[in-house]
Amino acid sequence: MPLGSRPGPPGPSPQLRELKGTVRALLALDDDTAVMIRQLACTEPGCPPLETVVVVLPMEGAARRWTLHRPADEITEDDLRAALRAPEQHD
């Protein structure tokens, strides 16, 4: 296996691509702003097994992050709209 390659389908899943496009549209982001969406295992007590993290990285300014406590395939446009209206989370 070549260095840096990994098994599985190339690129993000269709659900993550769709969520990324929805985030771009809802926030009216330009093409220079990166949007990352990842599903992560949540290990905190009472947390669902998977959570979805949305990160917006503009060329200028601070990064913004939101966590939705459900898997990506369960997130609707309304869920994203509500999350993006709430204050973003900071580490």
Side-chain angles (χ1 to χ4, degrees):
M1 183 177 298
L3 184 65
S5 66
R6 58 183 182 203
S13 72
Q15 292 106 342
L16 296 183
R17 265 196 310 272
E18 183 177 342
L19 289 176
K20 183 187 279 192
T22 302
V23 168
R24 286 190 164 287
L26 290 172
L27 296 177
L29 299 175
D30 60 31
D31 291 340
D32 291 334
T33 300
V35 176
M36 296 185 334
I37 300 181
R38 299 288 182 259
Q39 284 190 125
L40 303 172
C42 184
T43 58
E44 296 176 22
C47 186
L50 283 178
E51 62 185 12
T52 303
V53 178
V54 177
V55 180
V56 174
L57 302 163
M59 292 293 286
E60 301 290 329
R64 297 159 39 191
R65 179 177 70 86
W66 299 267
T67 301
L68 291 90
H69 297 285
R70 64 180 67 86
D73 62 353
E74 294 179 10
I75 295 174
T76 67
E77 183 174 337
D78 289 337
D79 294 333
L80 272 178
R81 187 176 288 109
L84 298 175
R85 284 187 186 143
E88 64 265 16
Q89 295 124 15
H90 302 280
D91 290 328

